[in-house]
């Protein structure tokens, strides 16, 4: 969900307002994706590198995440959305962590859209932690090095049990993966649009899907 601050800069308004508009864009998209009947949507809300932003912006974002989550939980639950947060959640502020845990518990048995929010997420950290977990199991004698396969690695990631993404949509025009789901996106189709996140609406999502369905997907074969 890239481009909130550039959107605000273009409008000569406070950058924090860009994030507020970003929330509106996210709500619109979740409703749209739910109505289309898609099974999974994962959004990148805060990267492990985003802590390097100013204290004011970081505190604002933490407060915004908690507030939006508390305000939206009822509607999400009523619409059978199942929420899951992926990332180093133990490093999140304690009150936000509580709200996150509550949101995951409340929606755990929902059968509709599985909405995953990557927060304090970094793919290299995720892989490092997974490798450490596996190494510990080998050291304890529970596993042999030969038991380590792609399935075990996938199951050791935050995204355990979730299928690999089919399509990545990056708004804001940057041609990078930015430490996002590096293992999981080995065969993901990439779609980069210059549209800034607050302007990204259902029509842009549909354009991305239309392009995606017209592509011939390859998994390294013919
Ligand atoms: C990236 O744009 C956006 C963020 C770091 C924050 C994204 C958060 C939201 C859209 C709110 C979502 C709310 C919930 C509850 C998940 P940027 O700030 O990097 O903008 P730039 O690329 O123009 O600098």
């Amino acid at each position: 969900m890239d481009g909130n601050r550039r959107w605000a800069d273009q409008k000569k308004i406070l950058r924090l307002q860009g994030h507020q508009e970003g929330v509106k864009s996210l709500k619109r998209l979740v409703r749209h994706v739910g109505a289309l009947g898609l099974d999974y949507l994962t959004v990148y809300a805060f990267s492990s590198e985003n802590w390097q932003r100013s204290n004011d912006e970081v505190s604002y974002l933490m407060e915004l995440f908690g507030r939006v989550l508390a305000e939206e939980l009822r509607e999400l639950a009523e619409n059978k959305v199942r929420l899951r947060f992926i990332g180093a959640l133990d490093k999140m502020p304690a009150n936000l962590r509580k709200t996150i845990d509550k949101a995951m518990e409340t929606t755990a048995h929902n059968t509709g859209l599985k909405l995953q929010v990557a927060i304090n997420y970094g793919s290299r950290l995720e892989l490092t932690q997974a490798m450490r977990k596996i190494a510990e199991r080998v050291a304890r004698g529970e596993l042999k090095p030969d038991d380590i396969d792609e399935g075990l690695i996938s199951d050791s990631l935050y995204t355990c049990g979730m299928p690999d993404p089919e399509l990545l949509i990056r708004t804001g025009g940057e041609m990078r993966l930015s430490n996002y789901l590096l293992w999981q996106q080995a065969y993901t189709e990439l779609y980069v649009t210059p549209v800034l996140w607050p302007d990204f609406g259902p029509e842009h999502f549909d354009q991305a899907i239309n392009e995606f369905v017209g592509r011939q997907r390859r998994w390294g074969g013919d």
Side-chain angles (χ1 to χ4, degrees):
M1 301 188 283
D2 210 5
N4 292 347
R5 298 186 305 181
R6 276 171 282 164
W7 183 89
D9 289 348
Q10 282 176 8
K11 298 231 161 353
K12 299 195 169 34
I13 56 175
L14 285 178
R15 288 182 151 193
L16 304 182
Q17 285 177 266
H19 293 312
Q20 274 177 27
E21 284 300 311
V23 171
K24 290 188 194 162
S25 193
L26 178 59
K27 285 197 221 168
R28 212 167 43 214
L29 189 70
V30 170
R31 290 200 186 101
H32 182 63
V33 167
L36 289 176
L38 298 188
D39 290 323
Y40 290 91
L41 177 70
T42 306
V43 292
Y44 203 176
F46 193 86
S47 77
S48 43
E49 289 78 29
N50 285 152
W51 295 109
Q52 292 159 23
R53 295 190 175 190
S54 73
N55 288 343
D56 279 356
E57 185 176 355
V58 170
S59 331
Y60 180 81
L61 282 171
M62 295 300 139
E63 190 270 328
L64 184 70
F65 294 147
R67 179 158 43 88
V68 171
L69 202 52
E71 283 169 7
E72 299 303 318
L73 187 56
R74 213 163 103 189
E75 185 183 334
L76 290 166
E78 279 169 8
N79 286 290
K80 300 195 170 45
V81 173
R82 180 172 176 174
L83 269 164
R84 178 170 173 184
F85 288 79
I86 57 171
L89 302 182
D90 52 326
K91 303 279 171 2
M92 301 308 288
N95 49 353
L96 177 56
R97 179 73 204 266
K98 264 193 208 151
T99 314
I100 285 176
D101 287 344
K102 182 174 171 220
M104 288 201 281
E105 275 163 33
T106 312
T107 63
H109 301 290
N110 285 353
T111 51
L113 173 70
K114 288 170 235 347
L115 174 60
Q116 300 182 112
V117 182
I119 203 161
N120 194 18
Y121 177 85
S123 203
R124 286 185 168 191
L125 177 65
E126 177 186 39
L127 283 160
T128 306
Q129 288 178 348
M131 286 180 206
R132 204 174 289 143
K133 260 194 280 181
I134 293 171
E136 282 165 3
R137 291 182 64 193
V138 172
R140 285 199 299 267
E142 290 169 20
L143 283 177
K144 290 195 271 306
D146 274 354
D147 296 330
I148 302 171
D149 58 12
E150 293 187 10
L152 179 72
I153 295 174
S154 292
D155 289 348
S156 307
L157 301 174
Y158 302 130
T159 48
C160 167
M162 170 193 140
D164 290 339
E166 291 182 281
L167 172 66
L168 167 75
I169 301 174
R170 180 162 190 160
T171 59
E174 307 285 356
M175 298 282 186
R176 285 191 292 275
L177 287 178
S178 297
N179 204 13
Y180 187 50
L181 301 173
L182 299 181
W183 171 273
Q184 297 87 337
Q185 297 200 96
Y187 294 103
T188 298
E189 293 290 325
L190 308 182
Y191 181 91
V192 177
T193 169
V195 175
L196 303 176
W197 176 253
D199 287 330
F200 188 82
E203 68 280 19
H204 300 108
F205 184 81
D206 291 348
Q207 269 168 21
I209 295 290
N210 284 337
E211 190 184 309
F212 168 76
V213 295
R215 287 190 197 172
Q216 194 187 356
R217 295 194 70 199
R218 295 165 192 268
W219 283 266
D222 291 330

